[in-house]
Amino acid sequence: MLGKFIVFEGGEGSGKTTQIKLLQQKLETAGFSVLTTREPGGTNCPIAEKIRQLLKDPTNKEMKPAAEFFLFLASRNQHVEQIVKPAVSAGQIVISDRYFGSSFAYQHFGRGLFDLQTMKNINALAINGAVPDLTILLDIEPTSGLTRVESGANRNNLKDDRFDAEQLEFHEKVRNGYLTLAKTEPNWQVFDANQPPEKLHEQIWAQVQKML
Ligand code: TYD
């Protein structure tokens, strides 16, 4: 039996980590085998994790936007081929914290890199058919999200991250980009992340049950 591929997307402080944990617990209780992973990098994927270190290193101030995009794609290709596809083929439910929606939101809408269609074409080469069964967008106002991040919930090394250091305007562009993607990309669902975690989880669970 084939598994499923679920992706969580959202800006900084949107609560993806908490929601992924809650969904994992619910699925496991229901008897599913679940693999949680993330991008850039990935569970059991040391090559992609090395690329993650390069991408997050705050001393890499001179990294060019296109170089950054290609590193995300290199990480993605390794991770999807080595970890995600085999797990789904083996019947597992894979939940990834971020996937190509992040590249479109951050590199295209945030940084203004390439036109979106070009980016989609290049990304298609990297994912080689691995389109998520469901993408859950946790939508939050950047001002609320960044406040959550600063207050420290679930986060570490924050001040050191090249992305968390971006200005509010950048995060506004990312958020609006995500909302645009949710209208045009297949299998995306938007959730209001500015509500209590348990309530949000119930809404997500209802959507996941529909997909299953
Ligand atoms: P991470 O610490 O995983 O952030 P978060 O907890 O917010 O998911 O850092 C990943 C950062 O990389 C995050 O700021 C989003 C960014 N990113 C991109 O810009 N493009 C991408 O394609 C991906 C996967 C992530």
Side-chain angles (χ1 to χ4, degrees):
M1 196 193 77
L2 267 184
K4 296 281 181 201
F5 182 22
I6 302 174
V7 169
F8 278 74
E9 292 284 358
E12 317 301 310
S14 56
K16 290 185 279 92
T17 311
T18 305
Q19 290 304 321
I20 288 171
K21 271 193 203 132
L22 291 170
L23 180 58
Q24 176 182 17
Q25 283 164 7
K26 196 69 133 276
L27 285 165
E28 285 176 347
T29 306
F32 293 97
S33 169
V34 180
L35 175 72
T36 57
T37 186
R38 66 167 177 198
E39 274 203 9
T43 302
N44 302 327
C45 197
I47 297 174
E49 283 291 315
K50 281 188 189 163
I51 300 171
R52 177 186 176 88
Q53 286 167 17
L54 272 174
L55 281 161
K56 298 203 70 160
D57 185 344
T59 64
N60 284 340
K61 286 195 176 59
E62 300 194 346
M63 190 180 292
K64 302 296 182 193
E68 177 186 82
F69 175 54
F70 294 134
L71 285 172
F72 279 117
L73 290 174
S75 167
R76 178 165 308 138
N77 177 258
Q78 184 67 36
H79 175 239
V80 86
E81 297 291 0
Q82 187 189 346
I83 306 296
V84 178
K85 285 183 184 176
V88 173
S89 297
Q92 284 193 291
I93 296 189
V94 177
I95 307 178
S96 183
D97 187 340
R98 301 190 180 281
Y99 194 42
F100 60 73
S102 292
S103 295
F104 301 164
Y106 285 76
Q107 277 66 57
H108 173 70
F109 289 101
R111 301 223 195 281
L113 180 70
F114 300 154
D115 67 274
L116 187 55
Q117 193 53 52
T118 300
M119 196 168 263
K120 286 185 179 182
N121 293 344
I122 306 171
N123 179 69
L125 299 174
I127 66 169
N128 195 17
V131 176
D133 296 291
L134 176 64
T135 296
I136 293 165
L137 172 58
L138 300 187
D139 176 53
I140 193 154
E141 286 249 346
T143 40
S144 315
L146 293 169
T147 308
R148 281 194 194 174
V149 169
E150 270 155 28
S151 69
N154 292 322
R155 305 285 309 214
N156 38 36
N157 300 332
L158 223 27
K159 300 284 174 222
D160 298 339
D161 184 312
R162 291 194 311 111
F163 293 93
D164 292 314
E166 287 286 347
Q167 301 302 310
L168 185 59
E169 193 196 341
F170 174 81
H171 294 288
E172 304 272 11
K173 288 185 195 163
V174 169
R175 185 211 186 184
N176 291 329
Y178 267 137
L179 291 172
T180 303
L181 291 169
K183 290 192 197 125
T184 50
E185 291 294 306
N187 311 330
W188 279 53
Q189 292 289 334
V190 187
F191 296 86
D192 175 8
N194 205 1
Q195 50 180 336
E198 273 302 332
K199 212 176 146 202
L200 177 56
H201 168 65
E202 288 309 321
Q203 294 165 9
I204 291 173
W205 179 234
Q207 192 65 46
V208 169
Q209 280 176 300
K210 274 192 212 162
M211 179 210 65
L212 292 169

